[in-house]
Amino acid sequence: MGKSQEWFFEEFTLPPDFSFGSVRLKGANTLPLTEGFINLDPGVATLRLSAECASPWNGMSMVVLYMFQLPKGQKELERLIEWFAKERLKKPRLPEKVPFDADMLSLKGVPQDWEHDWFAAFSRSLFHLYRSKKTAVLLRYFAEKGTMLDNPFFQGVYQDLVFSEKQWVTAFPELTLKKSVTRAVAKKAPKALLNEVSEAVQRALEALALKPTLRPASVAECIANRIDEARNPGKGKGKKAPNLDDLAIDLGALWGETLCRACGWQWMEVQDPDGAFLTNVCSPDKAFRVNPIAKVYSLLNDRGLPNNTALLFNMIEAEALPQSVAGALMPLN
């Protein structure tokens, strides 16, 4: 998989005029979107949008566009055609009890002389395939429930989705925060809190016998290992069981402080929409936040949770994060 992003639209919207690959979608910010995914490989651009519609369509509805520059994307195009078309129906009928034909939910703007195929893997999974010598598009509609042709999400996409043969947009869109969403607020951590964090960091460094010159990623790995040891006390026979509350404070403080030093994050006091005040480390633009002490505490008290503290640190350091915007304070777990 190449360069990609995953979107969750609880707090964000797409731009009102959105272009990617060889398509343009007007009014994208008005669609009832819940999730999205975008991916870019050499010669292949993929866009997936999901929505939740009201009854009788309640359930997930999805539109996926696979766009290809040929011959670069030829191999992936052939793979997808083989995968989706292997169970194609000979005479597909929609839930509306009508045959599926070439004009139903088709893609606008495609030249008339292009090869056009349409098929259904089953009555709720519909495909249009458009192809020329240099370009191809595979368009898929899928819905869990309800009829297909009057699905409000499909209709919104169908009305405003346009293909452009000369377009190949590779820039990912900038999402916008919804104005109606009540979100968390961050303010500078008080000096007394920072002093407590500093003391906890020093205790953790001494307990783990870590050198100040150790790479940040290695510090995160040592923290993860210590969490694993505390979650499996039987392996350290003869050792006194640690106080988990104290251990969570010390390890969480060290994890957060290491992130601050490595990536320029900062300790802040965050008030959630429910009024609770939490100690978090936040990215410089306040797009992301982590509550490291609470995270370590949860891991120490629930061995069923995956210990991804080192993985999360590495992802933040590598900037391999979901899409967010400045001020969103998206929590990372």
Side-chain angles (χ1 to χ4, degrees):
M1 185 175 293
K3 181 183 176 184
S4 64
Q5 282 184 355
E6 189 170 10
W7 305 322
F8 301 97
F9 292 111
E10 182 178 349
E11 297 187 10
F12 306 107
T13 61
L14 284 170
D17 195 341
F18 166 49
S19 296
F20 183 66
S22 53
V23 296
R24 177 185 180 188
L25 179 60
K26 295 182 180 180
N29 60 321
T30 65
L31 295 171
L33 300 174
T34 54
E35 296 180 12
F37 175 80
I38 197 167
N39 187 75
L40 191 65
D41 280 305
V44 183
T46 303
L47 171 65
R48 184 187 73 225
L49 298 174
S50 301
E52 292 280 349
C53 300
S55 180
W57 304 280
N58 45 331
M60 192 262 288
S61 297
M62 179 175 67
V63 176
V64 190
L65 280 146
Y66 305 94
M67 297 161 280
F68 307 89
Q69 289 182 315
L70 306 179
K72 273 187 182 180
Q74 183 68 38
K75 186 175 181 180
E76 178 64 7
L77 172 62
E78 292 174 354
R79 185 189 73 81
L80 287 174
I81 293 174
E82 180 182 2
W83 174 258
F84 287 122
K86 63 183 178 182
E87 296 182 359
R88 64 187 292 167
L89 303 176
K90 292 182 178 180
K91 295 182 179 180
R93 295 180 68 83
L94 306 184
E96 292 92 318
K97 307 301 181 184
V98 297
F100 179 45
D101 66 39
D103 295 323
M104 293 177 176
L105 301 173
S106 56
L107 180 61
K108 297 180 177 68
V110 180
Q112 291 186 350
D113 60 345
W114 278 32
E115 177 185 340
H116 179 202
D117 187 17
W118 61 98
F119 61 93
F122 54 95
S123 65
R124 298 185 186 280
S125 185
L126 313 178
F127 294 85
H128 284 283
L129 173 61
Y130 304 89
R131 181 163 38 181
S132 70
K133 291 183 179 180
K134 295 183 178 180
T135 310
V137 180
L138 180 62
L139 170 61
R140 182 191 184 196
Y141 295 91
F142 168 82
E144 288 184 327
K145 297 180 180 180
T147 47
M148 299 292 286
L149 300 181
D150 57 353
N151 179 300
F153 173 51
F154 294 166
Q155 279 297 310
V157 173
Y158 169 68
Q159 295 295 333
D160 294 313
L161 183 67
V162 179
F163 170 81
S164 176
E165 187 175 6
K166 297 180 180 180
Q167 173 187 299
W168 189 256
V169 176
T170 58
F172 287 9
E174 292 291 334
L175 301 188
T176 303
L177 277 171
K178 291 180 180 177
K179 294 180 180 179
S180 59
V181 174
T182 302
R183 55 183 55 88
V185 178
K187 63 179 182 180
K188 188 176 180 180
K191 187 175 180 179
L193 175 60
L194 294 178
N195 289 337
E196 291 177 7
V197 168
S198 180
E199 291 172 1
V201 168
Q202 190 59 39
R203 289 195 300 268
L205 289 172
E206 292 175 359
L208 296 175
L210 298 182
K211 295 181 180 179
T213 55
L214 193 62
R215 290 189 312 112
S218 298
V219 174
E221 188 68 34
C222 290
I223 293 170
N225 291 339
R226 182 66 186 96
I227 292 171
D228 286 338
E229 289 175 4
R231 277 155 54 114
N232 297 278
K235 293 184 178 181
K237 293 182 179 180
K239 291 185 179 181
K240 183 180 178 181
N243 181 295
L244 296 186
D245 290 357
D246 292 342
L247 188 61
I249 292 171
D250 293 353
L251 294 181
L254 178 58
W255 190 97
E257 185 65 17
T258 304
L259 185 66
C260 290
R261 294 176 180 177
C263 302
W265 286 40
Q266 56 186 323
W267 288 97
M268 305 201 77
E269 198 169 60
V270 177
Q271 184 178 12
D272 270 347
D274 62 5
F277 283 90
L278 306 168
T279 303
N280 282 215
V281 284
C282 302
S283 61
D285 61 356
K286 299 182 180 65
F288 302 101
R289 61 177 168 131
V290 178
N291 187 334
I293 294 174
K295 180 173 180 61
V296 174
Y297 180 85
S298 296
L299 291 171
L300 292 174
N301 286 276
D302 186 351
R303 288 189 288 178
L305 294 175
N307 181 4
N308 65 343
T309 48
L311 173 62
L312 178 59
F313 187 96
N314 292 335
M315 289 180 67
I316 295 173
E317 193 173 35
E319 298 183 353
L321 298 173
Q323 177 73 349
S324 184
V325 299
L329 289 171
M330 177 187 289
L332 298 174
N333 297 312

